[in-house]
Amino acid sequence: MVFGRGLRPLSIASAALLTSAFALVFFYAPNDADQGFVQKIFYLHVPLAIVALCGFVAGGVYGLRYLRSGDRAHDLRSYVSIHLSLVLAVGALLTGSIWAKASWGHWWVWQEPTLVSFLIVFLLYACYQPLRFSIEDPERQARYAAVFAVVAGAFVPLNFMAVRMAESLTHPRVLSTTGGAMPGSMRLTFLVALAGMACLFVTLCKYELASKHASMQLRRLKRRLAGDEGLVPLERSAAPQRL
Amino acid sequence: MPALPLDDAGKYVAAAYLVFLALVLIYVSIMATKLARISREIGELSDIVERRAEAAEQPRDREPV
């Protein structure tokens, strides 16, 4: 099984798309009439949040595939998707907070359903790694983590729809009201930034999958070589230990 | 709130993009550390394999022809 296939073109595409996106943000897209220059954070914050949420859902899909097939590669994919989505979610929370301070004068608004719901999703997934780490048996670890990923993955779109239906106080509805009224130049910039972020996510996922797979193979080789010197026990880890 | 003047807004925009850059750099440096460890362990394993191969060859060298 090769996880690192196509890494070079993906890395080049990610770098090219993100560089183009940032060039478009600062040299092509006009300043927002309402918020001015600070709205440039939108092209970073929204793609980060969208890709993080999609990554959580992807983790659930891989979890479901693991439960159906028992193939440990899907467990590894689910783990990596969720792990990387958590990193992007931290980025979305931090950039959102900076934008909130610049636009609304507050780092955080607890009355705003969009912010709080995203924080709930983030905190829910923050439990994923401790859950995995708390289970020693690899089979049980993979199975419980997959069930968690499926349930939490189903919660993400439900949560998204619930927030859409809720009355928003200050946070704009990006892909409906604000997004619908975006001029072409802003929409193009946003779409390139979204594509760049998605490409970066896939690239980093593949890097991590390749790295984890190499570690697993190395560990297996070590155990085989140490065969006559006593079995080297598997270290306890939140990450999948073998395929 | 009215739009911030460019001087004030610039700080926030720069901070947001620097946060993203820092996150990517931290992630990549962690990955680089892991890859360096894998590379070191591969070196150790190949040393072990070579030592074993040498040890296996030595008794054969001593055998009378």
Side-chain angles (χ1 to χ4, degrees), chain A residues 198-212:
Chain A
C199 209
L200 179 72
F201 177 83
V202 175
T203 308
L204 293 181
C205 266
K206 276 188 160 288
Y207 267 114
E208 192 164 336
L209 282 169
S211 160
K212 290 254 182 286

Side-chain angles (χ1 to χ4, degrees), chain B residues 5-33:
Chain B
L6 192 62
D7 285 356
D8 292 336
K11 284 187 290 189
Y12 289 108
V13 174
Y17 280 82
L18 283 175
V19 161
F20 172 68
L21 185 68
L23 271 177
V24 173
L25 284 179
I26 290 168
Y27 186 84
V28 170
S29 59
I30 291 170
M31 290 296 293
T33 313

Side-chain angles (χ1 to χ4, degrees), chain A residues 32-47:
Chain A
D32 185 70
D34 178 39
Q35 295 198 35
F37 187 67
V38 82
Q39 185 265 350
K40 301 285 183 193
I41 298 174
F42 160 84
Y43 303 105
L44 184 65
H45 168 70
V46 179

Side-chain angles (χ1 to χ4, degrees), chain A:
Chain A
M1 187 175 293
V2 182
F3 285 107
R5 192 176 290 147
L7 257 178
R8 188 192 291 251
L10 262 174
S11 306
I12 294 169
S14 301
L17 276 169
L18 281 176
T19 310
S20 311
F22 293 153
L24 287 173
V25 168
F26 293 106
F27 301 111
Y28 175 66
N31 280 347
D32 185 70
D34 178 39
Q35 295 198 35
F37 187 67
V38 82
Q39 185 265 350
K40 301 285 183 193
I41 298 174
F42 160 84
Y43 303 105
L44 184 65
H45 168 70
V46 179
L48 274 171
I50 289 175
V51 174
L53 292 177
C54 290
F56 287 140
V57 175
V61 171
Y62 282 126
L64 190 64
R65 289 176 76 174
Y66 167 72
L67 290 175
R68 285 170 66 97
S69 67
D71 182 356
R72 298 292 290 268
H74 292 313
D75 177 48
L76 181 63
R77 289 191 184 101
S78 174
Y79 170 82
V80 169
S81 291
I82 291 173
H83 177 229
L84 204 57
S85 296
L86 271 170
V87 176
L88 295 191
V90 169
L93 283 170
L94 290 175
T95 54
S97 200
I98 292 167
W99 193 9
K101 178 67 180 167
S103 284
W104 308 330
H106 300 283
W107 293 105
W108 191 263
V109 180
W110 285 107
Q111 290 80 15
E112 177 52 55
T114 316
L115 272 64
V116 177
S117 70
F118 192 86
L119 182 67
I120 290 170
V121 169
F122 173 77
L123 292 175
L124 174 68
Y125 277 98
C127 301
Y128 178 75
Q129 303 241 359
L131 168 80
R132 289 194 74 113
F133 192 78
S134 67
I135 304 166
E136 207 164 355
D137 176 35
E139 287 298 329
R140 275 179 61 217
Q141 183 193 60
R143 204 165 55 245
Y144 288 12
V147 171
F148 179 98
V150 171
V151 174
F155 174 71
V156 170
L158 286 177
N159 181 61
F160 184 79
M161 282 187 280
V163 169
R164 289 265 140 182
M165 286 186 266
E167 190 186 340
S168 173
L169 297 170
T170 41
H171 196 285
R173 294 284 176 257
V174 175
L175 297 177
S176 52
T177 51
T178 320
M182 261 199 290
S185 53
M186 283 177 147
R187 189 191 298 266
L188 173 72
T189 307
F190 170 68
L191 290 176
V192 174
L194 184 60
M197 201 60 75
C199 209
L200 179 72
F201 177 83
V202 175
T203 308
L204 293 181
C205 266
K206 276 188 160 288
Y207 267 114
E208 192 164 336
L209 282 169
S211 160
K212 290 254 182 286
H213 189 231
S215 294
M216 283 175 188
Q217 284 181 311
L218 198 59
R219 208 176 296 125
R220 204 173 58 196
L221 199 58
K222 256 178 153 175
R223 287 164 69 88
R224 282 183 67 180
L225 277 173
D228 49 353
E229 295 150 24
L231 208 64
V232 180
L234 278 175
E235 284 173 32
R236 191 165 175 168
S237 168
Q241 295 283 305
R242 60 187 169 83
L243 289 182

